[in-house]
Amino acid sequence: MKWSPEIHAAPPRPQPLIWEQLPFGRVFSRHLAVARYEEGTWHRPRIQPMAELPLHPGTSALHYGQALFEGLKAYIRPDGTRFAFRVKDHWQRLNHSAERLAMPPVPYELFMEMLLTLFRMEEDLSPPDLSYALYIRPVYFATDPWLGVRPSESYLLLIYLTPVGPYYTGKVRAYVETEMSRAAPGGTGHIKMAGNYAGALLSGKKAQQVGCQVSLWLDAQHREYIEEFSTMNVFVVMKGPRLITPPLKRGTILPGITRDTVIYLAQTLGIAVEEQEISIYELIEGIVHGKVREVFGTGTAATITPLQALHHEGKLWELPPTHPIAEELLKAYREVLRGQQKPAQSDWIWPI
Ligand code: COI
């Protein structure tokens, strides 16, 4: 088959993994899937031992940031079935990001063959239950060794796995960023471009200095409407319950696939969902008057993560200590993963 990878196998893992002690994203698969785009076409991919890559110092992605990534997860059910979640949606989003960065699209069959072969070669990586997963990281970047500012003519697509537990292990407080902006209309806030995350790091440092784990970004124009956390989309649970999440229409928010899954799950649970603007002042007022019951973040890495408090302009606004709606949604999410609840579309579950 055209995209069937050329295989160079790696030696076995020297020690078995202790899943309960895994830091997020620090332990890697033994293999790396690599595809190269050159002279107007994708070439046959390779699976090779995970190792450093030789890169020319002029590599354009390092200079001008033509680089993007994806994050998706594969799970194992109690009966041993292995599957990846919403692979096609992640592939589609990768190509939306690529289009915005003037990069060539990645063919579906190439992406799938790289993933499938990689999984088959990493059979020793078996998450013990559904709170653990194989996080799949595709990363796609420009490789022309040239300092001219124009789209590169050569690219690398890498895919590897990292065995993970929860992204956040303790309580999560959010620092409301009121000085810097993450994204503006017409920009790149809606794609998974590497630079979006770099631009958020300084705010992350400020967050840490006041005891927060994540930043909450406001819209660039008014510095008033909440957009997303630096690692997750945001949902607010109002009395009712009623879920509100900021709309994607301004093009400044990542169209999170977990965000979309949560909207579907809420509907199956009979919880109303509205995509509408939420002012930070209304949010704080709602917390003070008990109208806001919960705030949580969603993301592939973080799944569904309840917030403990919001830090805004020097004040800490505590949220209620229980998160029944976030927990109900997480339960429903795990039921879909276990095969106990129907996904919105059958291709959400992609058997490996
Ligand atoms: C993900 O949730 O998959 C992401 O890419 C976010 C990152 C903070 C790990």
Side-chain angles (χ1 to χ4, degrees), residues 24 69-72 135 137 167 192 197 230-231 299-302:
F24 184 91
F69 71 97
E70 264 303 321
L72 55 156
Y135 183 80
R137 175 49 66 92
Y167 189 80
K192 238 171 145 52
Y197 293 78
S230 32
T231 50
T300 302

Side-chain angles (χ1 to χ4, degrees), residues 283-336:
L283 176 58
I284 290 171
E285 207 236 12
I287 296 173
V288 172
H289 292 105
K291 287 183 274 182
V292 169
R293 294 295 165 90
E294 299 171 46
V295 176
F296 62 84
T298 61
T300 302
T303 325
I304 298 174
T305 297
L307 211 70
Q308 189 209 15
L310 273 182
H311 186 286
H312 180 241
E313 293 183 334
K315 287 199 187 135
L316 196 67
W317 305 95
E318 297 272 351
L319 283 147
T322 56
H323 327 104
I325 299 299
E327 277 162 26
E328 203 180 334
L329 287 162
L330 189 58
K331 185 165 163 271
Y333 193 86
R334 296 237 167 101
E335 279 167 3
V336 171

Side-chain angles (χ1 to χ4, degrees), residues 24 48-49 57 59 76 105 115 144 172 177 199 212 240 259 266 295 301 323:
F24 184 91
Q48 60 193 50
T59 296
I76 183 159
L115 257 187
D144 275 6
V172 178
E177 176 56 68
C212 294
R259 174 188 183 277
V295 176
H323 327 104

